[in-house]
Amino acid sequence: MILAVHGVGRPARPLDPGEDERWLTVEQFERVLDVAADREDVHLTFDDGNESDVDIVLPRLADRGLTAEFFPLAGRLGQRGYLDREGLRELVDAGMEIGSHGWEPRDWRRLDDRHAARELTDAPKLLGDLCGRPVRRYSLPFGAYDRRVLARLRQAGATRVYSSDGGAARRDGWLQARTELPHDLDGDWLDEVLAGSRRRASRWANRLFRRTAR
């Protein structure tokens, strides 16, 4: 199960429409971390590149010995409420993985060729230059995609793409489903979602055992 987090704590900037529906309190986030720390099948990702990634998220990951993937918006680095270049380096130096969320929050299904190059090529190149290593993983803005978007991502050299389709992720999948954490998340919601992931993992393991036992 791959969980998608956006911002944590008190926002340090005005939120775009709908962002407040995916913004967690510190207490909610700590609950997620405490569960994830005991589950090898739970992976955390963080979209947008909010400054809370360094101020709130990073020290709490470190306290629990966890790593995660972060997908900043390259065009908003250094803007109010977002990571700056130094913050990006802090994530890299702490052993976190960096991917691309594009340049700005735009629906990639509606891009012409010029804007597609900016979002899918220029953005990861800038992030890679700042990180000191290639950036080849992508998180889809709004979770939106179609065949054309996926074809463009393959052409751009994407090694993995994260959606917001929900449900269990395939371990070897190029397109990975994620479950977004809502602002009204509580313990019951989290337990139910992760219990479903554990049941699916058990069914997958049983199928694998039956194949290998033949």
Side-chain angles (χ1 to χ4, degrees):
M1 174 70 68
I2 303 173
L3 302 179
V5 184
H6 293 265
V8 180
R10 185 184 297 276
R13 60 177 174 81
L15 298 181
D16 291 337
E19 274 194 286
D20 58 331
E21 298 177 1
R22 302 187 303 277
W23 204 278
L24 303 183
T25 66
V26 174
E27 292 76 16
Q28 287 172 318
F29 179 62
E30 289 180 338
R31 161 75 177 178
V32 172
L33 287 184
D34 290 340
V35 172
D38 294 328
R39 295 279 300 268
E40 294 184 358
D41 61 330
V42 175
H43 180 60
L44 297 172
T45 66
F46 297 83
D47 283 356
D48 299 332
N50 291 297
E51 68 177 24
S52 62
D53 289 352
V54 167
D55 295 344
I56 297 174
V57 172
L58 184 57
R60 286 167 172 79
L61 289 173
D63 286 346
R64 294 163 176 81
L66 296 173
T67 58
E69 290 187 75
F70 292 81
F71 295 88
L73 290 162
R76 295 199 176 182
L77 290 174
Q79 294 186 16
R80 177 188 173 190
Y82 290 94
L83 291 175
D84 57 17
R85 298 185 177 201
E86 182 178 338
L88 186 66
R89 286 298 316 173
E90 283 189 58
L91 293 175
V92 173
D93 292 344
M96 306 299 156
E97 294 292 332
I98 304 299
S100 180
H101 202 38
W103 198 269
E104 294 284 344
R106 306 186 63 173
D107 187 335
W108 291 353
R109 296 171 300 180
R110 296 178 171 84
L111 299 178
D112 58 26
D113 290 342
R114 179 172 66 87
H115 288 101
R118 185 174 180 82
E119 297 293 329
L120 306 185
T121 303
D122 296 348
K125 183 180 185 305
L126 173 61
L127 294 173
D129 290 345
L130 295 175
C131 294
R133 61 194 187 204
V135 169
R136 292 288 182 264
R137 294 189 177 197
Y138 295 75
S139 168
L140 296 160
F142 318 112
Y145 64 95
D146 56 20
R147 291 181 180 180
R148 188 183 186 194
V149 169
L150 298 182
R152 280 173 163 170
L153 284 166
R154 289 190 182 277
Q155 185 176 13
T159 57
R160 180 162 292 178
V161 177
Y162 291 95
S163 73
S164 299
D165 291 339
R170 295 181 301 156
R171 297 186 182 185
D172 58 349
W174 180 78
L175 179 63
Q176 292 279 351
R178 298 184 302 172
T179 298
E180 291 196 331
L181 299 183
H183 74 285
D184 56 353
L185 173 149
D186 58 22
D188 290 341
W189 184 94
L190 187 60
D191 290 343
E192 182 178 351
V193 167
L194 295 181
S197 174
R198 194 183 292 274
R199 286 193 296 269
R200 281 186 287 267
S202 177
R203 289 197 295 270
W204 181 87
N206 287 336
R207 288 197 298 270
L208 179 62
F209 175 78
R210 286 195 296 270
R211 287 200 301 268
T212 57
R214 290 174 182 171

